[in-house]
PDB file of all heavy atoms in Angstrom:
ATOM      1  N   ASN B   8      13.250  -0.929  37.029  1.00 61.00           N
ATOM      2  CA  ASN B   8      13.879  -2.008  37.791  1.00 61.00           C
ATOM      3  C   ASN B   8      13.021  -3.258  37.797  1.00 61.00           C
ATOM      4  O   ASN B   8      13.517  -4.372  37.655  1.00 61.00           O
ATOM      5  CB  ASN B   8      14.148  -1.553  39.235  1.00 61.00           C
ATOM      6  CG  ASN B   8      15.457  -0.777  39.316  1.00 61.00           C
ATOM      7  OD1 ASN B   8      16.256  -0.838  38.383  1.00 61.00           O
ATOM      8  ND2 ASN B   8      15.637  -0.056  40.398  1.00 61.00           N
ATOM      9  N   ASN B  19      16.106 -16.634  34.268  1.00 95.00           N
ATOM     10  CA  ASN B  19      16.644 -17.624  35.200  1.00 95.00           C
ATOM     11  C   ASN B  19      15.752 -18.857  35.304  1.00 95.00           C
ATOM     12  O   ASN B  19      16.236 -19.979  35.385  1.00 95.00           O
ATOM     13  CB  ASN B  19      16.833 -17.001  36.598  1.00 95.00           C
ATOM     14  CG  ASN B  19      17.977 -15.995  36.591  1.00 95.00           C
ATOM     15  OD1 ASN B  19      18.857 -16.061  35.731  1.00 95.00           O
ATOM     16  ND2 ASN B  19      17.947 -15.061  37.526  1.00 95.00           N
ATOM     17  N   THR B  31      14.691 -21.720  22.053  1.00 96.00           N
ATOM     18  CA  THR B  31      14.954 -20.301  21.778  1.00 96.00           C
ATOM     19  C   THR B  31      15.903 -20.141  20.581  1.00 96.00           C
ATOM     20  O   THR B  31      15.668 -19.302  19.706  1.00 96.00           O
ATOM     21  CB  THR B  31      15.551 -19.609  23.030  1.00 96.00           C
ATOM     22  OG1 THR B  31      14.696 -19.866  24.128  1.00 96.00           O
ATOM     23  CG2 THR B  31      15.681 -18.114  22.824  1.00 96.00           C
ATOM     24  N   TYR B  42      12.847 -13.352   8.295  1.00 91.00           N
ATOM     25  CA  TYR B  42      12.935 -11.901   8.081  1.00 91.00           C
ATOM     26  C   TYR B  42      14.014 -11.528   7.054  1.00 91.00           C
ATOM     27  O   TYR B  42      13.873 -10.532   6.354  1.00 91.00           O
ATOM     28  CB  TYR B  42      13.147 -11.172   9.410  1.00 91.00           C
ATOM     29  CG  TYR B  42      11.964 -11.343  10.320  1.00 91.00           C
ATOM     30  CD1 TYR B  42      12.102 -11.731  11.640  1.00 91.00           C
ATOM     31  CD2 TYR B  42      10.670 -11.166   9.822  1.00 91.00           C
ATOM     32  CE1 TYR B  42      10.995 -11.936  12.442  1.00 91.00           C
ATOM     33  CE2 TYR B  42       9.568 -11.371  10.625  1.00 91.00           C
ATOM     34  CZ  TYR B  42       9.730 -11.758  11.930  1.00 91.00           C
ATOM     35  OH  TYR B  42       8.644 -11.962  12.717  1.00 91.00           O
ATOM     36  N   LEU B  69      20.018  -5.563  10.275  1.00 96.00           N
ATOM     37  CA  LEU B  69      19.966  -5.197  11.687  1.00 96.00           C
ATOM     38  C   LEU B  69      18.554  -5.408  12.240  1.00 96.00           C
ATOM     39  O   LEU B  69      18.372  -5.973  13.328  1.00 96.00           O
ATOM     40  CB  LEU B  69      20.402  -3.737  11.867  1.00 96.00           C
ATOM     41  CG  LEU B  69      20.282  -3.182  13.287  1.00 96.00           C
ATOM     42  CD1 LEU B  69      21.317  -3.826  14.206  1.00 96.00           C
ATOM     43  CD2 LEU B  69      20.473  -1.672  13.297  1.00 96.00           C
ATOM     44  N   VAL B  86       5.661 -20.046  25.623  1.00 91.00           N
ATOM     45  CA  VAL B  86       5.443 -21.496  25.656  1.00 91.00           C
ATOM     46  C   VAL B  86       5.575 -22.010  27.093  1.00 91.00           C
ATOM     47  O   VAL B  86       4.765 -22.791  27.567  1.00 91.00           O
ATOM     48  CB  VAL B  86       6.445 -22.221  24.717  1.00 91.00           C
ATOM     49  CG1 VAL B  86       6.372 -23.728  24.900  1.00 91.00           C
ATOM     50  CG2 VAL B  86       6.164 -21.859  23.265  1.00 91.00           C
ATOM     51  N   ALA B 125       6.593  -5.632   7.128  1.00 61.00           N
ATOM     52  CA  ALA B 125       7.466  -5.805   5.966  1.00 61.00           C
ATOM     53  C   ALA B 125       6.650  -6.106   4.722  1.00 61.00           C
ATOM     54  O   ALA B 125       6.892  -5.553   3.646  1.00 61.00           O
ATOM     55  CB  ALA B 125       8.454  -6.930   6.230  1.00 61.00           C
ATOM     56  N   PHE B 140      -1.100   5.612  -1.777  1.00 84.00           N
ATOM     57  CA  PHE B 140      -0.899   6.431  -0.588  1.00 84.00           C
ATOM     58  C   PHE B 140      -0.360   5.575   0.555  1.00 84.00           C
ATOM     59  O   PHE B 140       0.607   5.945   1.230  1.00 84.00           O
ATOM     60  CB  PHE B 140      -2.212   7.113  -0.180  1.00 84.00           C
ATOM     61  CG  PHE B 140      -2.039   8.042   0.986  1.00 84.00           C
ATOM     62  CD1 PHE B 140      -1.603   9.347   0.802  1.00 84.00           C
ATOM     63  CD2 PHE B 140      -2.245   7.594   2.290  1.00 84.00           C
ATOM     64  CE1 PHE B 140      -1.398  10.193   1.881  1.00 84.00           C
ATOM     65  CE2 PHE B 140      -2.044   8.434   3.369  1.00 84.00           C
ATOM     66  CZ  PHE B 140      -1.627   9.743   3.167  1.00 84.00           C
ATOM     67  N   MET B 145       4.125   3.813   3.852  1.00 86.00           N
ATOM     68  CA  MET B 145       4.926   2.726   4.432  1.00 86.00           C
ATOM     69  C   MET B 145       6.386   2.824   3.988  1.00 86.00           C
ATOM     70  O   MET B 145       7.294   2.583   4.782  1.00 86.00           O
ATOM     71  CB  MET B 145       4.375   1.355   4.002  1.00 86.00           C
ATOM     72  CG  MET B 145       2.974   1.053   4.462  1.00 86.00           C
ATOM     73  SD  MET B 145       2.818   0.763   6.223  1.00 86.00           S
ATOM     74  CE  MET B 145       3.646  -0.786   6.411  1.00 86.00           C
ATOM     75  N   ALA B 158       9.774  -1.633  19.523  1.00 90.00           N
ATOM     76  CA  ALA B 158       9.231  -1.218  20.826  1.00 90.00           C
ATOM     77  C   ALA B 158       8.110  -2.167  21.254  1.00 90.00           C
ATOM     78  O   ALA B 158       8.046  -2.579  22.421  1.00 90.00           O
ATOM     79  CB  ALA B 158       8.724   0.221  20.739  1.00 90.00           C
ATOM     80  N   LEU B 164       8.004  -8.975  24.979  1.00 90.00           N
ATOM     81  CA  LEU B 164       8.982  -9.777  25.721  1.00 90.00           C
ATOM     82  C   LEU B 164       8.793  -9.581  27.224  1.00 90.00           C
ATOM     83  O   LEU B 164       8.775 -10.538  27.998  1.00 90.00           O
ATOM     84  CB  LEU B 164      10.403  -9.374  25.297  1.00 90.00           C
ATOM     85  CG  LEU B 164      11.564 -10.072  25.995  1.00 90.00           C
ATOM     86  CD1 LEU B 164      11.575 -11.557  25.659  1.00 90.00           C
ATOM     87  CD2 LEU B 164      12.893  -9.461  25.591  1.00 90.00           C
ATOM     88  N   ALA B 168       7.642 -12.271  29.954  1.00 92.00           N
ATOM     89  CA  ALA B 168       8.512 -12.534  31.105  1.00 92.00           C
ATOM     90  C   ALA B 168       7.691 -12.424  32.393  1.00 92.00           C
ATOM     91  O   ALA B 168       7.826 -13.248  33.304  1.00 92.00           O
ATOM     92  CB  ALA B 168       9.665 -11.539  31.116  1.00 92.00           C
ATOM     93  N   GLN B 170       4.507 -12.956  32.697  1.00 89.00           N
ATOM     94  CA  GLN B 170       3.628 -14.129  32.771  1.00 89.00           C
ATOM     95  C   GLN B 170       4.387 -15.341  33.314  1.00 89.00           C
ATOM     96  O   GLN B 170       3.830 -16.116  34.082  1.00 89.00           O
ATOM     97  CB  GLN B 170       3.069 -14.473  31.378  1.00 89.00           C
ATOM     98  CG  GLN B 170       2.287 -13.365  30.689  1.00 89.00           C
ATOM     99  CD  GLN B 170       1.004 -13.001  31.419  1.00 89.00           C
ATOM    100  OE1 GLN B 170       0.456 -13.819  32.150  1.00 89.00           O
ATOM    101  NE2 GLN B 170       0.548 -11.783  31.230  1.00 89.00           N
TER     102      GLN B 170
END
Side-chain angles (χ1 to χ4, degrees):
Chain B
N8 276 345
N19 290 337
T31 307
Y42 295 131
L69 175 70
V86 171
F140 184 84
M145 297 290 291
L164 178 65
Q170 302 295 335

